[in-house]
Amino acid sequence: MNETIPNDTSRSAPHVAVFSFPSSSHPMSLLMLVRRLTAAAPEVMFSFFDTAKSNGQTFKNIDKDLENLKVYDVDDGLPENYVLTGKWGEEIELFMAATPFNFKKSLEVAEVERGRKITCVLSDAFLWFSGEMAVEIGVPWLAVYFSGAFALTTHIYTDLIRSTIGVDPNAIAGREDETLEFIQGMSSVRIRDLQDGIIVGNLESAFNRMLHRMGQMLPRATAVVINTFEESNPTIIEDLNSKFQKCLSIAPFTSLTYPPPSDSDTTGCLSWLDKQKPSSVVYISFGTVGALPAHELEALAEGLEGSGTPFLWSLNDKLREQLPVSFLNRTREWGLIVPWAPQFPILQHRAVGVFMTHCGWNSILECILAGVPVIGRPIFAEQHLNGRFISDVWGTGIRIDGGVFTKGGVIKGLELILFNEEGKKMMEKVQAFKELAEKAIETDGSSTRNFKTLLQIVSTT
């Protein structure tokens, strides 16, 4: 595969292959990590591999060919003239069917084109086959997991969970509140909190088989990089350290390392917040992938109006059209709805007192960094796990009553966090977490030390 590489000193320089998973926030999160590595190791060459569609979105406002970073497209697995049906997971299934051959083909192109052998594979942990490819070419495999340590734990222990609890829906029925006492650090987690694909759902879908295989493969990685900081879950991190060759928790880094440009507030959110009282506003966002059902959108709107709480709501135009016109008219004096919002600067603003969220991991990290308590309404994936840790382990927020929005539940939640003594305690706890996160990225902090270890591995030829 490397016969045509020029015979010069560049052959011995580090060349890292970066494999991205083309879904949700994964590519951008991986790019943020790679940009930090490129800045710290300008002598290392990075080649970034993803589908053309995903690369187009990820690098929309970023130069694809930085000095030591070049972008390559891999086959997305869609047959020529194929028309997508809109079925959930369809593109992922086609993409996974094309792996690993699509990556191998593009890897050959990059190695020849750039004149350097691959010396390390840095991949999204979802792409478990990257480990086998790394073994084939005799280089380290670094797997990056972008959610929390407790979500990763469920994948590492999937086989144990299945053998202990079972996968028969009839056998599980009525046991949803049983806890995972048999896994270190997971005694507060209940069966109902587990992601689809662990013991319920279509265990044989391409996506769920991928995650199952990931959990089996990660102990073989040279290092597993986790988007968390050690102090957030020391018991779980201790257990993962016993499972992996190296367990490197390196968060928080994305929001602090690459803050949005000063002109990113195109919808006027920050200037609107400037006019509000300290800790009075609820910021609302449920991410870009999942969506609330119409009846919950209506209940949330009714609760916001009934509470009289100033609100800033990031909601796309299609969903905004589902809100009653009367609600929009009656709340325009103390509420602002925008199609997009610069989330981290908003959470950092003194006017924001609580974040109403789907409990996506990036959002949870930003809450911690900003020191803002949470009202959680998980929608899918590991969000239920995240919500459980927020409410029952960390005490930095609550989950909405019954798991769905009602007018009364919204009013009750806002009252509790913004005005009650219990809410003050949650604020104190999240502020304490913020201090731990800030210490983790200090010069001698745990995340800084772990990043240096990661940097050393990618810089070694």
Side-chain angles (χ1 to χ4, degrees):
M1 158 168 137
N2 302 313
E3 292 89 347
T4 59
I5 294 177
N7 185 21
D8 57 31
T9 54
S10 68
R11 293 185 62 174
S12 62
H15 183 187
V16 180
V18 182
F19 293 170
S20 177
F21 182 72
S23 180
S24 187
S25 61
H26 285 237
M28 183 56 73
S29 295
L30 184 58
L31 176 60
M32 291 297 98
L33 173 59
V34 170
R35 286 184 67 182
R36 187 178 176 196
L37 289 169
T38 60
E43 76 285 358
V44 178
M45 184 176 285
F46 293 84
S47 293
F48 192 99
F49 301 87
D50 202 345
T51 65
K53 178 181 177 181
S54 183
N55 278 333
Q57 295 170 340
T58 304
F59 291 88
K60 185 176 181 180
N61 299 311
I62 302 173
D63 188 353
K64 284 189 176 183
D65 295 322
L66 303 174
E67 188 170 345
N68 55 340
L69 171 65
K70 189 171 178 63
V71 180
Y72 291 89
D73 296 336
V74 302
D75 181 15
D76 58 13
L78 270 69
E80 190 175 355
N81 300 320
Y82 183 86
V83 179
L84 292 167
T85 65
K87 172 188 172 186
W88 187 91
E90 182 180 14
E91 287 186 85
I92 292 174
E93 289 186 11
L94 292 167
F95 167 75
M96 289 305 298
T99 62
F101 308 106
N102 54 351
F103 282 92
K104 288 182 177 179
K105 183 177 179 181
S106 295
L107 198 68
E108 291 176 0
V109 173
E111 202 168 36
V112 171
E113 185 176 297
R114 306 197 75 183
R116 296 190 188 185
K117 290 183 178 181
I118 297 299
T119 57
C120 179
V121 174
L122 173 70
S123 79
D124 190 308
F126 281 16
L127 303 177
W128 59 267
F129 59 81
S130 304
E132 295 180 343
M133 288 179 63
V135 170
E136 287 177 13
I137 59 179
V139 301
W141 173 37
L142 304 172
V144 187
Y145 187 75
F146 291 108
S147 193
F150 33 85
L152 178 56
T153 294
T154 63
H155 295 301
I156 297 301
Y157 283 100
T158 292
D159 289 325
L160 176 63
I161 294 171
R162 290 178 179 178
S163 64
T164 304
I165 297 173
V167 295
D168 181 356
N170 294 323
I172 298 171
R175 301 169 55 199
E176 291 86 356
D177 285 321
E178 288 184 17
T179 59
L180 273 59
E181 296 278 355
F182 53 92
I183 299 176
Q184 182 172 317
M186 302 287 280
S187 59
S188 294
V189 174
R190 302 176 185 180
I191 291 175
R192 69 169 69 253
D193 301 325
L194 291 171
Q195 313 93 303
D196 276 0
I198 303 294
I199 57 174
V200 298
N202 181 6
L203 306 189
E204 294 304 315
S205 72
F207 185 75
N208 288 332
R209 283 189 285 109
M210 174 187 70
L211 295 181
H212 183 207
R213 187 64 179 137
M214 173 193 72
Q216 295 172 328
M217 282 289 292
L218 287 182
R220 306 184 193 181
T222 305
V224 177
V225 181
I226 310 178
N227 186 25
T228 189
F229 56 104
E230 292 180 355
E231 293 79 4
S232 65
N233 291 285
T235 303
I236 292 177
I237 293 297
E238 178 185 39
D239 185 58
L240 291 177
N241 269 314
S242 72
K243 299 291 185 294
F244 301 146
Q245 296 182 43
K246 279 189 175 64
C247 182
L248 305 177
S249 300
I250 62 171
F253 65 90
T254 52
S255 298
L256 296 184
T257 309
Y258 294 104
S262 57
D263 61 350
S264 64
D265 186 25
T266 56
T267 50
C269 298
L270 298 178
S271 56
W272 182 85
L273 286 172
D274 288 340
K275 303 172 185 176
Q276 310 304 316
K277 296 178 180 179
S279 300
S280 66
V281 175
V282 53
Y283 169 59
I284 309 163
S285 176
F286 299 103
T288 58
V289 179
L292 294 175
H295 70 277
E296 286 195 66
L297 274 178
E298 184 177 353
L300 174 54
E302 291 174 349
L304 291 171
E305 183 176 358
S307 73
T309 304
F311 65 88
L312 171 57
W313 192 348
S314 178
L315 186 70
N316 67 51
D317 292 335
K318 185 176 180 180
L319 291 175
R320 176 173 176 157
E321 292 172 0
Q322 298 181 27
L323 296 174
V325 174
S326 56
F327 163 77
L328 298 173
N329 291 335
R330 287 194 297 266
T331 60
R332 66 174 64 252
E333 294 299 321
W334 41 275
L336 178 65
I337 301 178
V338 295
W340 180 87
Q343 181 161 291
F344 190 51
I346 286 172
L347 291 171
Q348 290 179 302
H349 199 285
R350 62 176 180 79
V352 174
V354 61
F355 181 22
M356 196 172 283
T357 172
H358 61 311
C359 298
W361 183 243
N362 284 333
S363 291
I364 297 308
L365 276 180
E366 290 184 338
C367 278
I368 292 172
L369 288 169
V372 175
V374 165
I375 297 175
R377 196 306 193 180
I379 298 175
F380 71 107
E382 83 283 3
Q383 295 165 9
H384 295 280
L385 275 174
N386 298 342
R388 177 69 66 184
F389 271 78
I390 288 167
S391 62
D392 292 15
V393 180
W394 295 340
T396 56
I398 61 172
R399 286 167 297 146
I400 201 70
D401 278 354
V404 296
F405 282 120
T406 62
K407 177 181 177 180
V410 171
I411 294 173
K412 178 182 176 182
L414 291 171
E415 173 75 21
L416 186 150
I417 290 186
L418 292 175
F419 303 109
N420 288 6
E421 188 64 31
E422 190 175 347
K424 292 179 181 178
K425 292 179 180 178
M426 291 178 188
M427 176 64 77
E428 291 172 359
K429 289 180 179 179
V430 76
Q431 288 291 332
F433 260 85
K434 177 183 178 181
E435 292 178 8
L436 290 176
E438 290 172 342
K439 288 180 179 178
I441 55 175
E442 291 179 355
T443 304
D444 60 346
S446 59
S447 290
T448 301
R449 293 195 306 270
N450 287 332
F451 179 77
K452 289 178 179 178
T453 299
L454 174 64
L455 187 63
Q456 183 178 19
I457 297 172
V458 301
S459 302
T460 302
T461 57

